[in-house]
Amino acid sequence: MHILILGGDGYLGWPTAMYFSNRGYQVTVVDNYFRRNSCTELDVGMLYPLPSLVERAKIWNEHTGHEIKVVIGDLTDPEVLRSLFNGAAHYSWAVDSSFTGIPDTVIHYAEQPSAPYSLLNYKYANITLSNNLLVTNNLMFAVRDFARNTHIVKLGTMGEYGTPNIDIEEGWLDIEHKGRSDRFLFPRQASSLYHTSKIMDTDLLWFGVRLWNLRVTDLMQGPVYGMETEESKIDERLKTIFNYDEIFGTIVNRFMVQALVDYPLTVYGKGGQTRGYLNINDTLQCVHLAEQNAADPGELRIYNQIMETFSVNELAAMTQEAGKAFGIDVKINHLENPRIEAEEHYYNPTYQSLLNLGVKPHLLSAEVMEQMMQIILKYKNNIRTDIIFKGLKW
Ligand code: USQ
């Protein structure tokens, strides 16, 4: 099986590439270094430096003998995307640089993933909308034109649903109206432009499914935490990118770093904001199960990809508990919320489908946090406290 990973240099892209490669799949990754370049441009730092994607693929090959083909290119350019399907791809690194053929599955991570980034100003809003929608549209047309049978696994987000005052279903809602009934996408109401771009690309692919019988799975994922996977343990240089800043860092990863440098936990507002979370290892399991259980032609399959829910206050209390193992008295600071979001709300999402397919969740606990902090401790000297919170208002 041939897997094409768009956004293969990112927080999830690189671990996904190694995961599938380790399991005998032929893997090709594509990236334009958007994330790394943005970190440099915005001076937000990373916990540790990363080898280039080509260097990573070589290190992986030295250890395992497996090949991850690397294409460095901007997927907003339709010709770059089409080259991955029509044999014109230019590999920046490959053991065998002949074309691997049409991919059986495309995993689409090639998006600007940060909500704060999308609201920095009109320029970053534009970059978010144009990158995310153009890559998705280019992918949709490449599959339509060259590979109707290829399964698209697209990373969506739970944030597409927002925080409605009703239970959140897995993607769809049956509606009865004036004596008639039909099934529609569950109502979406995002609270950032990034999340709005994800709603739009779900809509784009839903259009492609209806028009051209494309096969699409949309994974509505919550915030992910963690950095170590089975494959990254092989060599320290294979670790994924780890951000703890206000723009690219997500909450659990940020709290672990904050605790270790005695920076009071940055709880935004009242801290009642509740989200569905998952370990990076569970992302890999879910994506694998989505790949193995492909959507049928003309089907948009939607899974809610979370393993449990927590409020910000609950995460802060758990971090305090984890800090005790290091003799740290973790403090909590309720900051004025830089975001516009509900701080106290109903939240009851359904997330049974991936569990039914066989995911074995790695649940979050103070012990799991301790293990993360143990790893972060090795890089403690690299931590920059000036990038943790600047109060970028939405
Ligand atoms: N939060 C704090 N303090 C912090 C950071 C965040 O209280 O220092 C709060 C936020 O206000 C928010 C919640 O924690 O209510 C989660 O924030 P986050 O920054 O961890 O995650 P978010 O911006 O929602 O986005 C992340 C990923 C995004 C993914 C999304 C899933 O960056 O790519 O789509 O999680 S979800 O949140 O379900 O939409």
Side-chain angles (χ1 to χ4, degrees):
M1 296 292 274
H2 176 206
I3 305 265
L4 173 64
I5 300 175
L6 310 182
D9 191 50
Y11 177 58
L12 301 175
W14 176 244
T16 304
M18 293 191 292
Y19 180 95
F20 278 101
S21 176
N22 210 15
R23 284 159 183 77
Y25 290 78
Q26 288 188 315
V27 178
T28 303
V29 291
V30 191
D31 210 290
N32 63 346
Y33 291 133
F34 170 84
R35 172 70 165 267
R36 297 174 186 233
N37 292 341
S38 300
C39 288
T40 307
E41 181 200 343
L42 299 168
D43 188 29
V44 296
M46 300 176 215
L47 189 57
Y48 36 75
L50 299 175
S52 71
L53 192 49
V54 167
E55 284 163 343
R56 285 167 145 182
K58 284 185 189 164
I59 297 166
W60 176 247
N61 178 255
E62 279 158 23
H63 283 289
T64 65
H66 296 310
E67 175 200 50
I68 294 177
K69 283 181 163 42
V70 177
V71 175
I72 302 299
D74 182 354
L75 297 163
T76 62
D77 176 346
E79 296 314 326
V80 173
L81 221 156
R82 295 171 84 80
S83 75
L84 302 156
F85 290 84
N86 65 15
H90 169 72
Y91 298 105
S92 291
W93 187 81
V95 177
D96 165 9
S97 52
S98 57
F99 183 55
T100 327
I102 284 179
D104 301 288
T105 305
V106 182
I107 301 174
H108 174 19
Y109 291 128
E111 305 222 353
Q112 188 298 99
S114 158
Y117 179 104
S118 72
L119 286 163
L120 279 173
N121 61 33
Y122 69 93
K123 180 183 147 201
Y124 295 95
N126 260 348
I127 295 171
T128 303
L129 289 175
S130 54
N131 182 79
N132 294 2
L133 296 177
L134 285 178
V135 175
T136 305
N137 192 51
N138 289 341
L139 172 63
M140 179 170 78
F141 272 90
V143 170
R144 181 195 93 134
D145 294 342
F146 300 115
R148 294 269 174 122
N149 206 35
T150 292
H151 179 210
I152 298 174
V153 176
K154 190 207 90 173
L155 197 74
T157 169
M158 286 297 287
E160 292 180 42
Y161 303 123
T163 51
N165 200 31
I166 59 171
D167 291 355
I168 297 172
E169 302 303 326
E170 294 202 66
W172 302 96
L173 189 65
D174 295 315
I175 303 219
E176 273 196 30
H177 182 64
K178 297 185 177 170
R180 303 181 67 80
S181 61
D182 206 342
R183 192 166 173 250
F184 296 92
L185 284 169
F186 192 90
R188 282 113 8 108
Q189 41 193 2
S191 64
S192 84
L193 257 184
Y194 151 71
H195 289 97
T196 303
S197 75
K198 304 288 279 192
I199 293 177
M200 292 170 172
D201 59 34
T202 295
D203 276 329
L204 260 180
L205 289 174
W206 175 215
F207 176 78
V209 164
R210 296 197 307 276
L211 238 72
W212 304 308
N213 279 328
L214 304 188
R215 314 172 65 175
V216 180
T217 298
D218 203 351
L219 299 173
M220 310 295 264
Q221 188 172 244
V224 182
Y225 58 86
M227 75 249 275
E228 206 163 63
T229 65
E230 188 190 325
E231 289 76 24
S232 75
K233 288 182 194 155
I234 295 173
D235 187 312
E236 201 186 18
R237 294 168 298 170
L238 295 173
K239 269 202 180 48
T240 192
I241 188 169
F242 189 92
N243 287 105
Y244 56 93
D245 63 282
E246 187 181 356
I247 296 178
F248 289 113
T250 47
I251 185 163
V252 178
N253 292 353
R254 278 167 62 65
F255 277 9
M256 299 304 92
V257 169
Q258 294 174 13
L260 282 173
V261 291
D262 215 6
Y263 193 108
L265 302 183
T266 53
V267 172
Y268 295 167
K270 294 190 179 124
Q273 303 92 308
T274 304
R275 303 285 183 270
Y277 290 85
L278 76 166
N279 188 301
I280 191 165
N281 288 286
D282 292 345
T283 295
L284 301 181
Q285 287 189 68
C286 291
V287 171
H288 193 195
L289 285 165
E291 181 272 332
Q292 289 173 315
N293 297 275
D296 293 325
E299 183 191 11
L300 170 62
R301 192 173 287 191
I302 304 179
Y303 297 130
N304 290 347
Q305 188 162 303
I306 59 176
M307 296 298 141
E308 53 194 331
T309 61
F310 294 106
S311 69
V312 173
N313 287 331
E314 286 169 327
L315 293 175
M318 222 187 264
T319 310
Q320 277 187 320
E321 192 55 38
K324 287 183 190 158
F326 298 84
I328 305 168
D329 176 20
V330 178
K331 292 168 206 70
I332 294 175
N333 192 1
H334 282 267
L335 296 159
E336 187 192 331
N337 197 340
R339 305 185 180 194
I340 297 167
E341 61 182 355
E343 293 173 7
E344 283 171 327
H345 58 89
Y346 180 77
Y347 199 64
N348 190 24
T350 312
Y351 48 96
Q352 198 53 44
S353 296
L354 285 160
L355 293 167
N356 290 347
L357 287 177
V359 175
K360 304 272 175 293
H362 297 73
L363 298 179
L364 186 58
S365 62
E367 290 71 44
V368 170
M369 287 182 164
E370 269 173 57
Q371 288 160 15
M372 280 181 67
M373 287 162 82
Q374 238 8 302
I375 301 169
I376 296 169
L377 206 50
K378 285 198 248 167
Y379 307 97
K380 192 176 169 192
N381 289 339
N382 296 347
I383 297 172
R384 282 175 54 188
T385 49
D386 63 308
I387 61 171
I388 291 176
F389 184 76
K390 293 181 182 163
L392 299 163
K393 277 205 186 311
W394 289 21

